[in-house]
Amino acid sequence: MKTALITGVTGQDGAYLAEFLLGKGYIVHGIKRRSSMFNTDRIDHLYQDPHVSKRNFVLHYGDMTDSSSLIRIIQEVQPDEIYNLAAQSHVAVSFEEPEYTANSDALGALRVLEAIRILGLEKKTRFYQASTSELYGLVQEVPQKETTPFYPRSPYAVAKLYAYWITVNYRESYGMYACNGILFNHESPIRGETFVTRKITRALARIKLGLQDCLYLGNLDSLRDWGHAKDYVEMQWLMLQQESAEDFVIATGVQFSVRDFVNAAAAELGIAVRWEGTGVNEKGYDADGNCIVAVDERYFRPAEVETLLGDASKARQKLGWTPKITFKELVSEMVREDLRKAERDELVKRHGYTAPNHHE
Amino acid sequence: MRTALITGITGQDGSLLAEFLLGKGYRVVGLVRRESWFRQGSSPELPEGVEILFGDMAEGVDIASAIHDARPDEVYNLASQSRPGESWSRAPETLLVNGLGAVRLFEAVRHHSPECRIYHASSSEMYGQACESPQDESTPFNPVNPYAAAKVYAHQMARIYRDSYGLFIASGILFNHESERRPLHFLTQKVAYGAACASLGIATSPATNEMGRPIVEDGVLSLGNLEVARDWGYAGDFVRAMWLMLQQDIPDEFVIGTGTLHTLAGLCEIAYGAVGLDWKQNVVSDPSLVRPLESGQTLANPSKAKQLLGWEPTVSFEDMIRRMVAAQVENLRSLDR
């Protein structure tokens, strides 16, 4: 029986991957940060009481910025596989917190690699680094594949690029099984609420039920290659099951704009959006003429990444992987789940209780 | 009077740049770590008139204070853990100083004096196993050690602060540059030192190498692969390029190098030739000194710097090596006295 350690287990990918690995019979350990709020929503269904004997899902307190916690946990767990998914993963926030982003995303990856090395686990422990399509930033060719030169455009992307290179360096210099999955955007009903796809499905569901009036977005023309996180975590695992470590692009190869995403999500709710105006004045109206989508310049990034489109031919050829869930199915599932949550809030409110009212 | 703040002022480039800027009438302030200051004493290589502020690139508040207190018109960010080979055993510190240190500096300038111009020291090490030769500003990076990866990080962040916030940050992608002030662990200085020892008949040198052995032992200087070739320029020329970059209308990235390759064997020939000796009698290649993952052959294409900055090297490779050997001979003689 194999043991896996997941950093970032409380995130979208961490939750899907933990569930996937448990299904494969793994013992799964996860690292979570101490927070003043509960932060395990996404994995609460996997939780096992510490009093239960022979647990196969164990959480540890730790932090990517705290090397001694990482070394202690890795020593204790002696994992066969480490999936490094933990990161300050929000591009816009990285402009506000460049130093913390580098500390957790760049130094964090290095700390894990160093821990593997100094604990003498180079031959035992396989390492997966969550790299990102944001590395391509100002894209140098279309579509982007493993050999496309990088051109990062945010502190997040630059920190992730460091982690990418240091993973390659440790593989080549120490012979470690360490690889990068360059994953294009991947979404799901448990995507963080501040990421654009989830922000859209959540807001439209709430607008539908009268809990909210308008959805404010940044660049509606941004083009992205959106897949389903559930498909992508399978790839993360596959990459660690090969003869030798290699880096792979994971993507659907299909591209939509943010506006397309809004239209698709609205359609799932039976709303036809009528667009008027251009640029910052562009607005989306429902059939009754209510403005339900508007542009807010505050969501523009200092440097925009206009277009990302992945070419996952290598993964298809070498790993036999193709994404199973289509864009339409992804949007549909996200809308369905967010509508249920909105219905719950509406119900709670109607009965005189306070419904959660989160803001960015 | 214009004020320049130099991080890493106790290093080779820092001290040469300080002299250059004082000569131009600048007020020069250096940011110095307490430990490197007291290790060196009051550094003999730092010219009169340099003001010192204590601070560490690993501490964000120190950098912000230095910007606030010195009120510089220009900042030259030269501080770094500068040994690629050693970066394997000091990888986190290397990123902390070379990478995060730069970002802290950019942030401090953005908040406290956005008009201040910044020179950032990038490195040809970023090309690593370069995919084309020679390398220019558009050659993709392929770093092969933690030092290079940290330099790529800082270089890309400089670009982001330039593009996103309109800060004036010029990045110099400097190829190897040497001088009489190079420390002994650098290849060129090691060879100059070896030649100086040979000319003075010193069979076992007082100075030791990274392994704690005398650099010259039983009359022999041991080096790694003698066929490695580098683009070596004179540091005095390079600091002039740094200053030139900050006098332009727009901030940009520039490759600074000579555009000529010399092998280590060629370097030995000139160095030992300078004291009338045959290098082959004094130098051996020791396989144990060959680096596990060598950076590829890096050769600069400095056309952009030539075209836009009017920059060209003035000191030839031969002259530089002869100067370095002469300085080492002088140094060894003064030890003897």
Side-chain angles (χ1 to χ4, degrees):
Chain A
M1 202 177 334
K2 281 191 186 171
T3 300
L5 174 65
I6 303 175
T7 74
V9 74
T10 59
Q12 166 187 262
D13 290 15
Y16 277 109
L17 181 64
E19 195 165 343
F20 176 84
L21 293 175
L22 288 168
K24 290 260 173 212
Y26 277 67
I27 296 173
V28 177
H29 293 258
I31 301 181
K32 66 169 178 177
R33 266 176 310 165
R34 146 72 196 168
S35 161
S36 59
M37 308 280 289
F38 287 124
N39 60 0
T40 54
D41 273 14
R42 296 190 182 92
I43 45 171
D44 283 343
H45 63 293
L46 305 173
Y47 178 79
Q48 292 168 347
D49 193 281
H51 306 99
V52 173
S53 59
K54 290 193 182 165
R55 285 190 297 165
N56 57 6
F57 184 60
V58 184
L59 293 180
H60 306 257
Y61 278 111
D63 195 309
M64 297 306 288
T65 65
D66 178 348
S67 56
S68 22
S69 73
L70 297 174
I71 294 168
R72 173 182 53 81
I73 294 164
I74 293 168
Q75 178 156 36
E76 211 172 290
V77 172
Q78 297 280 313
D80 300 295
E81 297 169 4
I82 295 180
Y83 296 87
N84 185 36
L85 313 184
Q88 191 301 92
S89 62
H90 203 280
V91 172
V93 171
S94 76
F95 283 94
E96 311 291 323
E97 300 185 358
E99 211 177 294
Y100 174 72
T101 304
N103 198 349
S104 46
D105 301 10
L107 265 167
L110 172 61
R111 290 184 182 109
V112 174
L113 287 163
E114 269 294 280
I116 294 172
R117 189 177 73 83
I118 63 180
L119 292 169
L121 295 170
E122 308 101 302
K123 296 285 168 268
K124 172 187 167 78
T125 304
R126 295 185 166 199
F127 177 79
Y128 171 85
Q129 169 61 25
S131 284
T132 163
S133 55
E134 285 285 326
L135 299 182
Y136 298 117
L138 187 63
V139 298
Q140 304 292 297
E141 66 178 352
V142 179
Q144 297 86 52
K145 52 183 188 286
E146 291 79 2
T147 52
T148 304
F150 301 122
Y151 198 118
R153 301 216 84 189
S154 64
Y156 166 75
V158 179
K160 280 286 191 178
L161 184 53
Y162 176 86
Y164 169 91
W165 283 123
I166 208 72
T167 299
V168 172
N169 284 184
Y170 271 64
R171 174 172 72 220
E172 292 178 353
S173 289
Y174 295 121
M176 286 170 52
Y177 191 115
C179 62
N180 287 287
I182 306 173
L183 270 56
F184 281 62
N185 295 57
H186 44 291
E187 320 296 316
S188 76
I190 56 169
R191 182 63 144 149
E193 289 86 351
T194 59
F195 289 85
V196 69
T197 51
R198 184 71 198 287
K199 182 172 158 179
I200 292 169
T201 57
R202 183 169 172 268
L204 290 179
R206 292 173 67 82
I207 288 169
K208 171 87 178 173
L209 296 185
L211 293 166
Q212 183 177 335
D213 297 326
C214 188
L215 161 64
Y216 293 95
L217 293 169
N219 185 1
L220 293 169
D221 295 316
S222 281
L223 294 166
R224 289 292 183 274
D225 177 331
W226 279 298
H228 196 300
K230 198 172 181 179
D231 277 339
Y232 286 31
V233 300
E234 186 187 344
M235 278 309 305
Q236 301 176 345
W237 172 77
L238 263 177
M239 273 183 237
L240 294 195
Q241 314 309 316
Q242 307 305 308
E243 294 263 304
S244 59
E246 280 185 67
D247 305 325
F248 289 94
V249 159
I250 304 301
T252 67
V254 189
Q255 205 179 36
F256 294 93
S257 69
V258 170
R259 191 184 297 96
D260 294 335
F261 197 101
V262 172
N263 285 332
E268 287 292 327
L269 292 160
I271 303 171
V273 184
R274 180 169 48 81
W275 297 95
E276 276 180 27
T278 53
V280 292
N281 298 315
E282 184 166 358
K283 288 185 167 53
Y285 297 91
D286 68 7
D288 302 326
N290 300 312
C291 173
I292 56 169
V293 188
V295 173
D296 182 341
E297 288 176 70
R298 285 187 306 132
Y299 295 116
F300 291 159
R301 293 175 189 172
E304 292 283 345
V305 172
E306 299 288 346
T307 171
L308 291 172
L309 178 63
D311 172 0
S313 312
K314 183 180 171 189
R316 195 166 54 242
Q317 280 154 19
K318 291 202 169 177
L319 307 173
W321 178 83
T322 44
K324 298 186 193 77
I325 304 168
T326 65
F327 178 74
K328 191 174 179 335
E329 288 164 348
L330 167 70
V331 175
S332 167
E333 185 189 346
M334 290 179 71
V335 169
R336 194 167 62 240
E337 292 298 317
D338 274 329
L339 187 60
R340 279 177 62 83
K341 289 195 173 69
E343 282 166 355
R344 180 197 61 193
D345 291 353
E346 198 268 336
L347 182 75
V348 164
K349 230 173 137 179
R350 192 147 34 87
H351 286 80
Y353 293 94
T354 311
N357 188 22
H358 297 295
H359 298 281
E360 280 178 64
Chain B
M1 194 183 346
R2 296 174 71 71
T3 298
L5 173 69
I6 303 176
T7 75
I9 198 168
T10 55
Q12 164 189 266
D13 292 6
S15 65
L16 289 170
L17 178 65
E19 267 175 31
F20 177 84
L21 292 175
L22 286 169
K24 292 251 172 222
Y26 279 72
R27 167 183 169 239
V28 176
V29 183
L31 183 68
V32 179
R33 269 178 308 157
R34 274 177 191 278
E35 60 172 87
S36 70
W37 186 254
F38 291 116
R39 193 174 52 221
Q40 294 191 226
S42 56
S43 169
E45 283 160 3
L46 272 190
E48 286 279 315
V50 170
E51 295 171 35
I52 294 300
L53 287 174
F54 287 116
D56 192 326
M57 294 301 286
E59 176 51 59
V61 173
D62 287 0
I63 298 164
S65 308
I67 299 291
H68 180 269
D69 295 345
R71 293 263 151 232
D73 302 291
E74 298 174 1
V75 179
Y76 294 85
N77 184 35
L78 312 183
S80 78
Q81 191 297 96
S82 64
R83 302 170 70 164
E86 220 175 79
S87 72
W88 285 108
S89 57
R90 297 164 68 190
E93 181 202 343
T94 303
L95 178 58
L96 212 53
V97 173
N98 301 10
L100 268 71
V103 171
R104 291 182 181 121
L105 175 65
F106 303 156
E107 273 290 306
V109 168
R110 183 162 86 90
H111 290 295
H112 301 294
S113 57
E115 298 306 313
C116 173
R117 296 183 166 201
I118 303 172
Y119 168 81
H120 174 71
S122 287
S123 160
S124 59
E125 275 284 325
M126 299 191 300
Y127 297 119
Q129 294 286 346
C131 54
E132 62 185 21
S133 186
Q135 295 89 43
D136 63 23
E137 294 77 7
S138 63
T139 304
F141 303 128
N142 190 13
V144 297
N145 57 55
Y147 168 83
K151 281 288 183 187
V152 170
Y153 173 83
H155 183 81
Q156 307 277 23
M157 287 302 276
R159 187 182 279 174
I160 282 171
Y161 275 77
R162 186 165 58 229
D163 293 350
S164 299
Y165 299 121
L167 287 193
F168 193 111
I169 307 180
S171 299
I173 305 173
L174 270 54
F175 283 61
N176 298 60
H177 46 290
E178 319 295 313
S179 76
E180 300 88 329
R181 297 182 188 180
R182 260 305 197 205
L184 270 176
H185 58 260
F186 283 84
L187 206 45
T188 47
Q189 193 65 290
K190 209 174 265 178
V191 173
Y193 184 75
C197 287
S199 80
L200 297 173
I202 300 171
T204 299
S205 66
T208 52
N209 62 20
E210 291 84 346
M211 279 90 78
R213 314 279 306 169
I215 290 175
V216 176
E217 204 169 12
D218 300 327
V220 172
L221 172 68
S222 299
L223 300 171
N225 179 6
L226 294 172
E227 290 315 306
V228 294
R230 292 275 184 276
D231 179 336
W232 278 297
Y234 186 62
D237 282 329
F238 283 43
V239 300
R240 190 176 75 253
M242 298 175 185
W243 175 77
L244 278 172
M245 282 180 221
L246 296 196
Q247 313 313 314
Q248 307 305 306
D249 292 334
I250 46 169
D252 208 341
E253 299 169 356
F254 293 95
V255 159
I256 302 294
T258 67
T260 311
L261 279 179
H262 293 273
T263 62
L264 181 50
L267 162 61
C268 293
E269 191 177 343
I270 294 167
Y272 284 82
V275 290
L277 293 171
D278 177 7
W279 69 279
K280 288 182 178 147
Q281 309 293 319
N282 297 281
V283 177
V284 297
S285 176
D286 177 352
S288 73
L289 296 176
V290 177
R291 281 198 218 172
L293 188 60
E294 277 288 353
S295 295
Q297 178 174 296
T298 49
L299 173 62
N301 173 2
S303 346
K304 183 174 167 183
K306 186 178 176 185
Q307 204 185 340
L308 297 179
L309 305 177
W311 178 85
E312 275 185 285
T314 60
V315 177
S316 71
F317 181 71
E318 290 74 11
D319 278 352
M320 171 176 81
I321 299 303
R322 285 190 201 109
R323 285 189 198 187
M324 291 174 70
V325 174
Q328 287 298 346
V329 169
E330 182 52 37
N331 187 33
L332 282 165
R333 281 205 179 114
S334 73
L335 281 181
D336 215 26
R337 282 198 286 270

PDB file of all heavy atoms in Angstrom, chain B residues 122-144:
ATOM      1  N   SER B 122      21.285  41.247 -13.423  1.00  0.00           N
ATOM      2  CA  SER B 122      20.971  39.901 -13.882  1.00  0.00           C
ATOM      3  C   SER B 122      22.268  39.240 -14.329  1.00  0.00           C
ATOM      4  O   SER B 122      23.326  39.851 -14.253  1.00  0.00           O
ATOM      5  CB  SER B 122      19.951  39.953 -15.018  1.00  0.00           C
ATOM      6  OG  SER B 122      18.678  40.287 -14.511  1.00  0.00           O
ATOM      7  N   SER B 123      22.162  38.003 -14.788  1.00  0.00           N
ATOM      8  CA  SER B 123      23.399  37.253 -15.020  1.00  0.00           C
ATOM      9  C   SER B 123      23.283  36.320 -16.219  1.00  0.00           C
ATOM     10  O   SER B 123      22.224  35.753 -16.489  1.00  0.00           O
ATOM     11  CB  SER B 123      23.699  36.426 -13.770  1.00  0.00           C
ATOM     12  OG  SER B 123      24.579  35.373 -14.076  1.00  0.00           O
ATOM     13  N   SER B 124      24.400  36.139 -16.911  1.00  0.00           N
ATOM     14  CA  SER B 124      24.421  35.196 -18.044  1.00  0.00           C
ATOM     15  C   SER B 124      24.179  33.764 -17.584  1.00  0.00           C
ATOM     16  O   SER B 124      23.855  32.897 -18.400  1.00  0.00           O
ATOM     17  CB  SER B 124      25.756  35.285 -18.773  1.00  0.00           C
ATOM     18  OG  SER B 124      26.820  34.981 -17.890  1.00  0.00           O
ATOM     19  N   GLU B 125      24.329  33.513 -16.280  1.00  0.00           N
ATOM     20  CA  GLU B 125      24.023  32.170 -15.757  1.00  0.00           C
ATOM     21  C   GLU B 125      22.571  31.788 -16.047  1.00  0.00           C
ATOM     22  O   GLU B 125      22.221  30.619 -16.063  1.00  0.00           O
ATOM     23  CB  GLU B 125      24.243  32.130 -14.238  1.00  0.00           C
ATOM     24  CG  GLU B 125      25.669  31.862 -13.796  1.00  0.00           C
ATOM     25  CD  GLU B 125      26.091  30.404 -13.936  1.00  0.00           C
ATOM     26  OE1 GLU B 125      25.261  29.503 -13.744  1.00  0.00           O
ATOM     27  OE2 GLU B 125      27.268  30.174 -14.251  1.00  0.00           O
ATOM     28  N   MET B 126      21.719  32.788 -16.257  1.00  0.00           N
ATOM     29  CA  MET B 126      20.304  32.504 -16.522  1.00  0.00           C
ATOM     30  C   MET B 126      20.130  31.683 -17.799  1.00  0.00           C
ATOM     31  O   MET B 126      19.161  30.961 -17.936  1.00  0.00           O
ATOM     32  CB  MET B 126      19.514  33.814 -16.650  1.00  0.00           C
ATOM     33  CG  MET B 126      19.553  34.669 -15.388  1.00  0.00           C
ATOM     34  SD  MET B 126      18.378  36.039 -15.411  1.00  0.00           S
ATOM     35  CE  MET B 126      18.908  36.957 -16.839  1.00  0.00           C
ATOM     36  N   TYR B 127      21.077  31.791 -18.734  1.00  0.00           N
ATOM     37  CA  TYR B 127      20.957  31.028 -19.991  1.00  0.00           C
ATOM     38  C   TYR B 127      21.270  29.550 -19.784  1.00  0.00           C
ATOM     39  O   TYR B 127      20.798  28.718 -20.539  1.00  0.00           O
ATOM     40  CB  TYR B 127      21.869  31.615 -21.063  1.00  0.00           C
ATOM     41  CG  TYR B 127      21.510  33.039 -21.446  1.00  0.00           C
ATOM     42  CD1 TYR B 127      22.406  34.080 -21.263  1.00  0.00           C
ATOM     43  CD2 TYR B 127      20.254  33.322 -21.979  1.00  0.00           C
ATOM     44  CE1 TYR B 127      22.067  35.379 -21.609  1.00  0.00           C
ATOM     45  CE2 TYR B 127      19.911  34.623 -22.322  1.00  0.00           C
ATOM     46  CZ  TYR B 127      20.821  35.648 -22.135  1.00  0.00           C
ATOM     47  OH  TYR B 127      20.484  36.927 -22.468  1.00  0.00           O
ATOM     48  N   GLY B 128      22.085  29.252 -18.787  1.00  0.00           N
ATOM     49  CA  GLY B 128      22.392  27.856 -18.454  1.00  0.00           C
ATOM     50  C   GLY B 128      22.796  27.048 -19.666  1.00  0.00           C
ATOM     51  O   GLY B 128      23.746  27.380 -20.372  1.00  0.00           O
ATOM     52  N   GLN B 129      22.061  25.976 -19.911  1.00  0.00           N
ATOM     53  CA  GLN B 129      22.278  25.190 -21.129  1.00  0.00           C
ATOM     54  C   GLN B 129      21.579  25.942 -22.249  1.00  0.00           C
ATOM     55  O   GLN B 129      20.470  25.603 -22.650  1.00  0.00           O
ATOM     56  CB  GLN B 129      21.691  23.786 -20.975  1.00  0.00           C
ATOM     57  CG  GLN B 129      22.380  22.924 -19.935  1.00  0.00           C
ATOM     58  CD  GLN B 129      23.739  22.434 -20.406  1.00  0.00           C
ATOM     59  OE1 GLN B 129      24.057  22.525 -21.587  1.00  0.00           O
ATOM     60  NE2 GLN B 129      24.553  21.922 -19.491  1.00  0.00           N
ATOM     61  N   ALA B 130      22.240  26.948 -22.771  1.00  0.00           N
ATOM     62  CA  ALA B 130      21.588  27.862 -23.715  1.00  0.00           C
ATOM     63  C   ALA B 130      21.177  27.145 -24.992  1.00  0.00           C
ATOM     64  O   ALA B 130      21.871  26.257 -25.474  1.00  0.00           O
ATOM     65  CB  ALA B 130      22.518  29.012 -24.037  1.00  0.00           C
ATOM     66  N   CYS B 131      20.014  27.543 -25.513  1.00  0.00           N
ATOM     67  CA  CYS B 131      19.506  26.862 -26.703  1.00  0.00           C
ATOM     68  C   CYS B 131      19.984  27.539 -27.974  1.00  0.00           C
ATOM     69  O   CYS B 131      19.688  27.085 -29.066  1.00  0.00           O
ATOM     70  CB  CYS B 131      17.986  26.790 -26.645  1.00  0.00           C
ATOM     71  SG  CYS B 131      17.225  28.381 -26.404  1.00  0.00           S
ATOM     72  N   GLU B 132      20.711  28.658 -27.844  1.00  0.00           N
ATOM     73  CA  GLU B 132      21.306  29.262 -29.037  1.00  0.00           C
ATOM     74  C   GLU B 132      22.574  29.995 -28.631  1.00  0.00           C
ATOM     75  O   GLU B 132      22.770  30.322 -27.471  1.00  0.00           O
ATOM     76  CB  GLU B 132      20.322  30.223 -29.712  1.00  0.00           C
ATOM     77  CG  GLU B 132      19.918  31.400 -28.833  1.00  0.00           C
ATOM     78  CD  GLU B 132      18.838  32.276 -29.462  1.00  0.00           C
ATOM     79  OE1 GLU B 132      18.136  31.795 -30.362  1.00  0.00           O
ATOM     80  OE2 GLU B 132      18.718  33.441 -29.043  1.00  0.00           O
ATOM     81  N   SER B 133      23.445  30.242 -29.594  1.00  0.00           N
ATOM     82  CA  SER B 133      24.698  30.929 -29.309  1.00  0.00           C
ATOM     83  C   SER B 133      25.038  31.846 -30.470  1.00  0.00           C
ATOM     84  O   SER B 133      24.914  31.440 -31.621  1.00  0.00           O
ATOM     85  CB  SER B 133      25.814  29.904 -29.096  1.00  0.00           C
ATOM     86  OG  SER B 133      26.988  30.567 -28.687  1.00  0.00           O
ATOM     87  N   PRO B 134      25.453  33.074 -30.236  1.00  0.00           N
ATOM     88  CA  PRO B 134      25.539  33.716 -28.924  1.00  0.00           C
ATOM     89  C   PRO B 134      24.164  34.062 -28.363  1.00  0.00           C
ATOM     90  O   PRO B 134      23.165  33.919 -29.052  1.00  0.00           O
ATOM     91  CB  PRO B 134      26.352  34.980 -29.224  1.00  0.00           C
ATOM     92  CG  PRO B 134      26.034  35.298 -30.647  1.00  0.00           C
ATOM     93  CD  PRO B 134      25.840  33.967 -31.331  1.00  0.00           C
ATOM     94  N   GLN B 135      24.144  34.520 -27.117  1.00  0.00           N
ATOM     95  CA  GLN B 135      22.879  34.858 -26.476  1.00  0.00           C
ATOM     96  C   GLN B 135      22.641  36.371 -26.504  1.00  0.00           C
ATOM     97  O   GLN B 135      23.560  37.147 -26.274  1.00  0.00           O
ATOM     98  CB  GLN B 135      22.871  34.390 -25.016  1.00  0.00           C
ATOM     99  CG  GLN B 135      22.925  32.885 -24.859  1.00  0.00           C
ATOM    100  CD  GLN B 135      24.343  32.375 -24.790  1.00  0.00           C
ATOM    101  OE1 GLN B 135      25.174  32.954 -24.116  1.00  0.00           O
ATOM    102  NE2 GLN B 135      24.646  31.297 -25.498  1.00  0.00           N
ATOM    103  N   ASP B 136      21.399  36.724 -26.792  1.00  0.00           N
ATOM    104  CA  ASP B 136      21.034  38.135 -26.687  1.00  0.00           C
ATOM    105  C   ASP B 136      19.826  38.277 -25.769  1.00  0.00           C
ATOM    106  O   ASP B 136      19.435  37.319 -25.100  1.00  0.00           O
ATOM    107  CB  ASP B 136      20.778  38.745 -28.074  1.00  0.00           C
ATOM    108  CG  ASP B 136      19.613  38.092 -28.785  1.00  0.00           C
ATOM    109  OD1 ASP B 136      18.734  37.500 -28.104  1.00  0.00           O
ATOM    110  OD2 ASP B 136      19.560  38.168 -30.026  1.00  0.00           O
ATOM    111  N   GLU B 137      19.218  39.452 -25.756  1.00  0.00           N
ATOM    112  CA  GLU B 137      18.151  39.746 -24.798  1.00  0.00           C
ATOM    113  C   GLU B 137      16.920  38.873 -25.008  1.00  0.00           C
ATOM    114  O   GLU B 137      16.085  38.749 -24.112  1.00  0.00           O
ATOM    115  CB  GLU B 137      17.756  41.225 -24.889  1.00  0.00           C
ATOM    116  CG  GLU B 137      18.847  42.209 -24.442  1.00  0.00           C
ATOM    117  CD  GLU B 137      19.958  42.413 -25.477  1.00  0.00           C
ATOM    118  OE1 GLU B 137      19.834  41.898 -26.612  1.00  0.00           O
ATOM    119  OE2 GLU B 137      20.946  43.090 -25.155  1.00  0.00           O
ATOM    120  N   SER B 138      16.768  38.284 -26.210  1.00  0.00           N
ATOM    121  CA  SER B 138      15.561  37.498 -26.472  1.00  0.00           C
ATOM    122  C   SER B 138      15.794  35.990 -26.346  1.00  0.00           C
ATOM    123  O   SER B 138      14.876  35.194 -26.533  1.00  0.00           O
ATOM    124  CB  SER B 138      15.027  37.822 -27.872  1.00  0.00           C
ATOM    125  OG  SER B 138      15.978  37.439 -28.822  1.00  0.00           O
ATOM    126  N   THR B 139      17.008  35.582 -26.017  1.00  0.00           N
ATOM    127  CA  THR B 139      17.286  34.149 -25.865  1.00  0.00           C
ATOM    128  C   THR B 139      16.552  33.604 -24.629  1.00  0.00           C
ATOM    129  O   THR B 139      16.646  34.198 -23.558  1.00  0.00           O
ATOM    130  CB  THR B 139      18.805  33.927 -25.683  1.00  0.00           C
ATOM    131  OG1 THR B 139      19.491  34.513 -26.784  1.00  0.00           O
ATOM    132  CG2 THR B 139      19.138  32.452 -25.587  1.00  0.00           C
ATOM    133  N   PRO B 140      15.800  32.513 -24.796  1.00  0.00           N
ATOM    134  CA  PRO B 140      15.100  31.951 -23.626  1.00  0.00           C
ATOM    135  C   PRO B 140      16.080  31.486 -22.538  1.00  0.00           C
ATOM    136  O   PRO B 140      17.178  31.037 -22.841  1.00  0.00           O
ATOM    137  CB  PRO B 140      14.350  30.748 -24.197  1.00  0.00           C
ATOM    138  CG  PRO B 140      14.255  30.995 -25.654  1.00  0.00           C
ATOM    139  CD  PRO B 140      15.497  31.758 -26.031  1.00  0.00           C
ATOM    140  N   PHE B 141      15.647  31.600 -21.301  1.00  0.00           N
ATOM    141  CA  PHE B 141      16.480  31.173 -20.176  1.00  0.00           C
ATOM    142  C   PHE B 141      16.319  29.682 -19.925  1.00  0.00           C
ATOM    143  O   PHE B 141      15.260  29.114 -20.143  1.00  0.00           O
ATOM    144  CB  PHE B 141      16.097  31.940 -18.906  1.00  0.00           C
ATOM    145  CG  PHE B 141      16.204  33.427 -19.060  1.00  0.00           C
ATOM    146  CD1 PHE B 141      15.149  34.254 -18.725  1.00  0.00           C
ATOM    147  CD2 PHE B 141      17.354  33.995 -19.566  1.00  0.00           C
ATOM    148  CE1 PHE B 141      15.242  35.635 -18.878  1.00  0.00           C
ATOM    149  CE2 PHE B 141      17.473  35.376 -19.725  1.00  0.00           C
ATOM    150  CZ  PHE B 141      16.404  36.192 -19.380  1.00  0.00           C
ATOM    151  N   ASN B 142      17.389  29.075 -19.456  1.00  0.00           N
ATOM    152  CA  ASN B 142      17.346  27.652 -19.131  1.00  0.00           C
ATOM    153  C   ASN B 142      18.284  27.409 -17.947  1.00  0.00           C
ATOM    154  O   ASN B 142      19.330  26.799 -18.096  1.00  0.00           O
ATOM    155  CB  ASN B 142      17.776  26.854 -20.370  1.00  0.00           C
ATOM    156  CG  ASN B 142      17.518  25.379 -20.198  1.00  0.00           C
ATOM    157  OD1 ASN B 142      16.820  24.961 -19.276  1.00  0.00           O
ATOM    158  ND2 ASN B 142      18.113  24.576 -21.060  1.00  0.00           N
ATOM    159  N   PRO B 143      17.917  27.921 -16.773  1.00  0.00           N
ATOM    160  CA  PRO B 143      18.833  27.894 -15.626  1.00  0.00           C
ATOM    161  C   PRO B 143      19.111  26.474 -15.153  1.00  0.00           C
ATOM    162  O   PRO B 143      18.205  25.655 -15.131  1.00  0.00           O
ATOM    163  CB  PRO B 143      18.068  28.678 -14.555  1.00  0.00           C
ATOM    164  CG  PRO B 143      16.632  28.533 -14.921  1.00  0.00           C
ATOM    165  CD  PRO B 143      16.597  28.483 -16.423  1.00  0.00           C
ATOM    166  N   VAL B 144      20.372  26.199 -14.792  1.00  0.00           N
ATOM    167  CA  VAL B 144      20.719  24.843 -14.371  1.00  0.00           C
ATOM    168  C   VAL B 144      21.229  24.762 -12.937  1.00  0.00           C
ATOM    169  O   VAL B 144      21.776  23.738 -12.541  1.00  0.00           O
ATOM    170  CB  VAL B 144      21.741  24.187 -15.335  1.00  0.00           C
ATOM    171  CG1 VAL B 144      21.148  24.032 -16.722  1.00  0.00           C
ATOM    172  CG2 VAL B 144      23.035  24.984 -15.401  1.00  0.00           C
TER     173      VAL B 144
END
